[in-house]
Amino acid sequence: MTTQELLRRAQGAKSAVALAGTERKNAALLAMADALEGQAEAILAANGKDLEAARGTVSDVMLDRLALSPERIRGMAAGMREVAALPDPVGQVLRRVERPNGLVIEKTCVPMGVIAIIYESRPNVTSDAAALALKAGSACVLRGGKEAHRSAAAIVAALRAGLAQAGLPEDAVALVEDTSRQSANELMTARGLVDLLIPRGGAGLIRACVEHAAVPVIETGTGICHIYVDRAADRDMALDIVENAKCSRPSVCNAAEVCLVHRDLAPDFLPALRQRLVEGRAGQGLPPVELRLDRAAAGLIPGKAAGAQDFDTEFLDYILAVGVVDSLEDAVAHIAAHSTGHSEAIVTGDEQAAERFLSTVDSAAVYWNASTRFTDGGEFGLGCEMGISTQRLHARGPMGLAELCSYKYIIKGSGQIR
């Protein structure tokens, strides 16, 4: 089936989804979750073929993003059930005003319509996106990367079976069969068929969508995330936070890519950081982190000299750019120059320094004494999320159900004329 045919079918299905009540949507989500677990064997078999084809062509951390397991499938199903348990945003009155002339004006949450999602090699995005779109009253058209296409197709087959069981149109969730650039371009330019386009992936994909889309698009995801270790930081806390932010899952957008250290603390902190991330991890049989050091950091610890682009790169790997700064203001200036606006953290015991950082750093999520890895819909209590918006309009940060809706004004009168 062509991409245009899928989009037209999704347009045909969107009214049924928009008009479905909360109970019916929740029943569909629960049936879809059950179908995921019920078809786990087929999904894992398809994923095994994707992994076999990708092995040797992508890094180990990217293979981890691609890989499914029984536990991960159960987690995907649990995420769908969590979305079912969330309040339904559709129909919520966001603001109510009664005018002096008696008009009652209600700003009311409504579905987007057809949401297209272009994403890369993360099969779990397939179920997350479908669950959120459905609960938000919209149909979704998914276009995954070629590395994960077999996995995504098996997941979508299960989701569509759940929709049919609940009496909703299967075309409310569809997967684009073509994984070439042509299909991505078709989604970007499908005016009248796509109501919202959300790209999830690397900088190249997001840039292409932002530059070429003729449909509404939300910029997401590229995460050059910073951790600034202030002069008043607790050293052990800072080591724990940096290791978690870098190493717990380096292939995701909320992983830290840059660590900035105040000059006063650097002589003590940087050797401890190297011990923790390099020798310590290697001694435990864990992947060590490659430290790419600016000139000041390289004067304190051994490591690879940072190249011209290392403070502007989303590594998505066990690589960390490390720099030394003279002050909090220098750290903030560095972040402003190099950040993608995703997530930044300060580690400090100085409340005034923390407040200055939180108020002046202009990113979607800013942290004090916590890992950037919490920038996630589930961790923010939103259920699974459609992505992390790094723009300022409409949605910013983790995009949950509310961010996948639009609104309209409903005005009730009793014969008023102007």
Side-chain angles (χ1 to χ4, degrees):
M1 189 181 302
T2 68
T3 303
Q4 291 290 313
E5 288 171 333
L6 282 178
L7 290 171
R8 283 193 288 271
R9 289 194 176 196
Q11 281 287 330
K14 75 177 186 181
S15 292
V17 179
L19 295 173
T22 302
E23 289 187 9
R24 194 170 185 190
K25 289 189 293 186
N26 287 346
L29 286 166
L30 296 176
M32 293 158 75
D34 290 344
L36 266 184
E37 293 184 319
Q39 298 188 28
E41 188 174 336
I43 294 169
L44 289 172
N47 184 246
K49 293 179 181 178
D50 283 336
L51 287 169
E52 184 178 352
R55 197 165 281 114
T57 65
V58 300
S59 67
D60 288 345
V61 291
M62 297 308 288
L63 281 175
D64 178 64
R65 289 179 76 153
L66 174 59
L68 291 175
S69 64
E71 292 75 22
R72 285 189 177 178
I73 292 175
R74 284 195 292 271
M76 290 157 60
M80 300 193 81
R81 295 184 181 112
E82 288 170 6
V83 172
L86 292 172
D88 190 344
V90 178
Q92 287 187 5
V93 176
L94 305 175
R95 184 167 180 254
R96 184 181 188 277
V97 176
E98 187 168 347
R99 299 294 296 151
N101 62 4
L103 284 178
V104 176
I105 303 171
E106 295 178 337
K107 182 181 179 182
T108 305
C109 199
V110 297
M112 283 285 182
V114 172
I115 301 174
I117 303 99
I118 302 176
Y119 59 105
E120 295 176 343
S121 304
R122 292 182 66 183
N124 65 293
V125 173
T126 307
S127 60
D128 288 355
L132 288 165
L134 180 68
K135 185 65 178 267
S138 289
C140 70
V141 174
L142 305 160
R143 191 275 192 189
K146 64 181 184 296
E147 294 86 359
H149 185 71
R150 298 178 187 86
S151 306
I155 292 166
V156 168
L159 300 181
R160 287 167 68 94
L163 281 168
Q165 181 181 334
L168 287 175
E170 293 183 16
D171 291 326
V173 176
L175 179 71
V176 173
E177 297 172 12
D178 177 13
T179 58
S180 71
R181 286 187 178 180
Q182 175 61 29
S183 66
N185 290 334
E186 286 185 74
L187 293 178
M188 293 180 208
T189 56
R191 296 184 69 174
L193 294 176
V194 171
D195 298 296
L196 176 65
L197 173 64
I198 301 174
R200 285 191 62 166
L205 166 65
I206 294 165
R207 184 170 56 251
C209 288
V210 171
E211 291 177 356
H212 301 298
V215 301
V217 60
I218 292 180
E219 186 172 355
T220 68
T222 305
I224 300 178
C225 302
H226 296 73
I227 296 178
Y228 167 55
V229 182
D230 185 50
R231 66 193 302 177
D234 178 282
R235 190 185 77 166
D236 290 339
M237 177 192 292
L239 291 171
D240 289 343
I241 288 173
V242 173
E243 182 175 24
N244 177 263
K246 177 72 265 182
C247 302
S248 61
R249 201 168 181 196
S251 63
V252 294
C253 63
N254 57 24
E257 305 291 15
V258 178
C259 178
L260 302 174
V261 183
H262 193 286
R263 186 172 299 278
D264 291 351
L265 192 67
D268 176 61
F269 181 76
L270 288 180
L273 181 70
R274 177 178 170 78
Q275 174 60 37
R276 173 71 75 91
L277 297 187
V278 183
E279 290 94 345
R281 288 180 60 83
Q284 298 174 61
L286 300 171
V289 176
E290 178 183 309
L291 302 179
R292 298 191 180 175
L293 311 173
D294 74 357
R295 184 175 297 179
L300 296 169
I301 57 172
K304 183 175 181 179
Q309 298 302 313
D310 281 335
F311 287 93
D312 297 289
T313 299
E314 186 182 29
F315 298 113
L316 303 175
D317 204 343
Y318 291 101
I319 302 170
L320 183 68
V322 180
V324 175
V325 293
D326 291 330
S327 65
L328 182 148
E329 289 71 26
D330 286 346
V332 171
H334 181 104
I335 292 169
H338 300 277
S339 171
T340 53
H342 193 296
S343 301
E344 330 295 348
I346 181 173
V347 185
T348 185
D350 183 339
E351 183 174 354
Q352 289 187 340
E355 292 298 339
R356 289 206 307 278
F357 183 93
L358 298 175
S359 62
T360 55
V361 171
D362 186 21
S363 291
V366 286
Y367 292 83
W368 176 16
N369 290 346
S371 169
T372 58
R373 287 281 287 110
F374 286 101
T375 307
D376 175 274
E379 297 296 333
F380 280 19
L382 306 176
C384 49
E385 91 231 344
M386 191 68 83
I388 310 295
S389 170
T390 53
Q391 66 181 32
R392 292 176 178 81
L393 297 178
H394 170 63
R396 197 177 195 195
M399 290 186 292
L401 294 172
E403 290 74 26
L404 295 181
C405 291
S406 184
Y407 58 83
K408 66 182 178 184
Y409 287 94
I410 295 175
I411 303 96
K412 300 174 183 177
S414 54
Q416 289 90 338
I417 60 174
R418 181 175 178 178

